[in-house]
Amino acid sequence: MPQRPPAPSFEELLDSAQAHALHLELRDVYAVGEEREVYDAFLRDGSVPADDSDYWSGWLPLVQRTVARGVKVRRARIVSEPVTDYIRFEHAITDANLRAGEQVRWLPRRRASTLALPGNDFWLIDDRIVRWNLFSGDGQALEPDHTDDPSAVKLCVEAFRSVWDLATDHADYRI
């Protein structure tokens, strides 16, 4: 059986986008290793990384150049309330995402009860490819997966649209 190629990197995905790059986040806690120091600082004193810090060095320029080509980059987060410390951290750093050109909305989990949602976070590029962001039970990032299967793409298109339509814009979402 032929080995499946690895999931495209974020850079490959966003560089290939022509209309939109949509990201749905479903977890209340992430334990991504490269965030540990910044997250610990936030817990200690509420500090957030500056836009020109190493923390953002790969992501913000990638989003900026993607948006500059006319691609809409949207991120929707489904969160439990009251929110976890990690979601408070995400909320605090989201202004950097906005300055880079992302649009971000928040949906309280209680309002998502009737929505058909996939089992994992994902990025959807131009309604043609899905990159599944996979995590262990304790929030550690695992190897991502991807698909261009039409039924999976359709699920993600519909899920993102339904979440986006119900969600609150970042500027109006209070934690």
Side-chain angles (χ1 to χ4, degrees), residues 157-172:
V157 166
E158 292 171 357
F160 190 88
R161 185 173 298 128
S162 62
V163 169
W164 192 257
D165 289 347
L166 285 175
T168 302
D169 188 75
H170 176 74
D172 299 320

Side-chain angles (χ1 to χ4, degrees), residues 76-145:
R77 294 178 170 136
I78 297 178
V79 297
S80 300
E81 293 178 321
V83 300
T84 62
D85 285 342
Y86 189 86
I87 296 301
R88 284 187 322 100
F89 166 68
E90 279 194 328
H91 191 270
I93 65 172
T94 295
D95 285 340
N97 297 84
L98 299 175
R99 286 189 293 273
E102 283 189 55
Q103 299 171 40
V104 179
R105 292 187 182 180
W106 303 81
L107 181 64
R109 191 171 310 282
R110 64 183 158 69
R111 294 188 57 213
S113 296
T114 61
L115 302 181
L117 300 171
N120 293 293
D121 291 13
F122 65 83
W123 276 92
L124 173 65
I125 306 300
D126 295 336
D127 300 350
R128 65 178 169 76
I129 187 169
V130 175
R131 174 188 158 120
W132 303 110
N133 290 345
L134 306 176
F135 297 90
S136 64
D138 64 357
Q140 299 294 322
L142 303 174
E143 278 299 311
D145 198 1

Side-chain angles (χ1 to χ4, degrees), residues 4-15:
R4 188 177 163 104
S9 69
F10 289 123
E11 188 166 1
E12 291 168 323
L13 282 173
L14 292 184
D15 283 347

Side-chain angles (χ1 to χ4, degrees), residues 38 47-57 60 96 99:
V38 172
S47 63
V48 296
D51 290 7
D52 61 353
S53 70
D54 286 345
Y55 178 78
W56 291 113
S57 65
L60 296 183
R99 286 189 293 273

